[in-house]
Amino acid sequence: MLEIYLPIVQVNIDIFLLLFLSLVVGVLSGLFGVGGGFLMTPFLIFMGIPPVYAVPNEVNNILATSVSGSLTHWFKDTLDYRMGLMIVAGGVVGTLLGISTFSYFEGIGKISVIISLLYMYLLAIVGTLMLIEVFRVATQKTTKKKLHDHNWLQGLPLRMRFQKSRLYESALTPILLGLIVGFVAAMMGIGGAFLMVPAMIYIVGMPVKLIPGTSLFVTIFISAIVTILHSFNYGTIDFFLVIPLILGSIVGVQLGQKLGQYLDGNQLKSSFAVLLISVAIAIAYDSFFREQSQLINEQKVIQTDLNQYAEFSLKLSNEFPFLYGAFAIISAIGLGILAAVLRKIISDLRKKKPSEKVKFPVK
């Protein structure tokens, strides 16, 4: 057990536990095509990180894993840019609305309760609906179906063609999806993919193979905006927390993507639904049956003797919050790109490895 002091958050935290949890969440992120914040943010709160700090620091971590994951999907050509940009357009507006709402509840001291309730209800509802759909499809008789099932949202005005996804539907559908995702991301410290993934499947109607890469692509932009706004408004980004989160997550996301190659679409859907419901139950238990986070916070020893790096980080955050946030974004993007490029190089080297058998001369 090795504890480090977080100068911005002002608590001590077990670095090995933090690295392990971020690695596990990274694997799930790569496996399901989500940012992983719906798991990591509650974990941080359970470990004693106040929600006002857990939210922006995990969003910064999501940025790195999303860059790494989406680049990997770009190399494989499993990403719909046009659909992604439509979702991002709505996500920008949603993020601004979310930050304003976050500021209001933070001002009246109710943000911790709101975050817990949002996690509990949203994860439970989305997970249950996905399980119902998986069960319905599994028990349905096999009949010849059209390429895509259309709903009324897809028939809204401003219809356009998405060549990659082989869809022709209203641009308002992904824009409205982005609006909701951006709002939830700013409030809950997530990339919003746990909402995007089922919505892309059941509302937008995208092919399953394009969903992980596209959702991670969208998450890059939304998480970058959330990070810079939280840093500028509150000064809550802590590099001593972000860096371990990123290091564990970017390794995990590569492992998760590799594992995902051996699972089919239905397995991923049902596993994702069960995961959402499990996290919702854990949050409900922690919120209503015990005060774990408060107990942990009370046990933390506040260290005031900072080293030169901690002092520099604290000073930069207080005096230049926008610059500090921008540096956090650049660091996350850089580490994410590095992880994806390294995996690409390793993958190419394996493919080029000579597999021919040694031929001996015939006498």
Side-chain angles (χ1 to χ4, degrees), residues 93 115 122 187 195 209 344 352:
V93 179
I115 289 174
L122 280 176
M187 285 292 296
L195 286 176
K209 69 175 183 178
K344 174 66 174 173
K352 293 177 182 178

Side-chain angles (χ1 to χ4, degrees), residues 290-324:
R290 63 177 179 176
E291 298 180 355
Q292 179 69 18
S293 298
Q294 292 181 7
L295 289 174
I296 293 175
N297 274 327
E298 290 172 358
Q299 294 170 357
K300 295 294 177 183
V301 178
I302 303 301
Q303 177 180 330
T304 56
D305 185 19
L306 304 181
N307 60 43
Q308 58 181 344
Y309 302 107
E311 287 181 351
F312 175 75
S313 178
L314 188 59
K315 183 178 180 181
L316 186 63
S317 176
N318 291 333
E319 297 182 3
F320 306 99
F322 188 84
L323 180 63
Y324 189 85

Side-chain angles (χ1 to χ4, degrees), residues 5-271:
Y5 179 70
L6 308 178
I8 307 296
V9 183
Q10 296 186 350
V11 297
N12 291 320
I13 196 166
D14 186 351
I15 184 65
F16 292 122
L17 178 60
L18 184 63
L19 286 169
F20 173 74
L21 289 176
S22 62
L23 177 67
V24 172
V25 172
V27 170
L28 296 172
S29 174
L31 185 61
F32 297 119
V34 298
F38 70 96
L39 282 174
M40 199 65 221
T41 302
F43 285 160
L44 289 175
I45 294 172
F46 296 159
M47 293 175 69
I49 306 296
V52 71
Y53 293 98
V55 167
N57 283 282
E58 175 52 22
V59 170
N60 198 187
N61 172 43
I62 290 170
L63 175 60
T65 58
S66 298
V67 169
S68 175
S70 62
L71 269 177
T72 301
H73 283 283
W74 177 64
F75 293 144
K76 297 177 180 178
D77 195 28
T78 53
L79 196 162
D80 189 335
Y81 294 101
R82 195 171 194 184
M83 182 69 75
L85 289 174
M86 289 294 104
I87 300 174
V88 169
V92 172
V93 179
T95 299
L96 295 174
L97 292 174
I99 289 291
S100 299
T101 307
F102 188 98
S103 299
Y104 170 75
F105 285 112
E106 170 65 16
I108 63 174
K110 297 292 184 181
I111 192 63
S112 297
V113 176
I114 295 299
I115 289 174
S116 296
L117 290 175
L118 280 173
Y119 268 105
M120 185 176 65
Y121 286 116
L122 280 176
L123 294 178
I125 291 170
V126 173
T128 302
L129 290 176
M130 285 191 72
L131 270 184
I132 292 171
E133 178 65 16
V134 170
F135 179 76
R136 185 187 67 80
V137 172
T139 56
Q140 198 174 43
K141 291 182 179 179
T142 304
T143 55
K144 189 175 181 180
K145 296 173 66 178
K146 294 186 295 184
L147 181 62
H148 299 293
D149 291 326
H150 293 277
N151 55 61
W152 66 272
L153 283 171
Q154 294 170 331
L156 291 172
L158 301 176
R159 300 186 76 179
M160 63 186 298
R161 194 171 300 280
F162 298 93
Q163 297 287 353
K164 190 77 175 179
S165 296
R166 297 166 68 186
L167 293 172
Y168 180 63
E169 63 183 58
S170 172
L172 294 177
T173 304
I175 290 174
L176 289 173
L177 172 60
L179 183 69
I180 296 170
V181 167
F183 179 84
V184 172
M187 285 292 296
M188 299 172 64
I190 59 176
F194 82 93
L195 286 176
M196 260 191 296
V197 170
M200 286 174 169
I201 295 171
Y202 303 118
I203 298 177
V204 180
M206 288 180 64
V208 173
K209 69 175 183 178
L210 297 179
I211 290 174
T214 306
S215 67
L216 289 170
F217 174 74
V218 172
T219 303
I220 292 173
F221 295 92
I222 292 178
S223 56
I225 296 170
V226 173
T227 297
I228 199 72
L229 289 176
H230 270 286
S231 177
F232 183 73
N233 291 328
Y234 308 111
T236 47
I237 303 296
D238 194 321
F239 274 114
F240 287 77
L241 175 59
V242 169
I243 297 302
L245 284 173
I246 292 176
L247 292 177
S249 296
I250 59 178
V251 173
V253 76
Q254 304 300 324
L255 296 175
Q257 288 174 345
K258 191 70 175 176
L259 181 61
Q261 296 174 4
Y262 303 100
L263 298 175
D264 61 32
N266 286 329
Q267 286 177 317
L268 288 176
K269 289 180 194 177
S270 57
S271 299

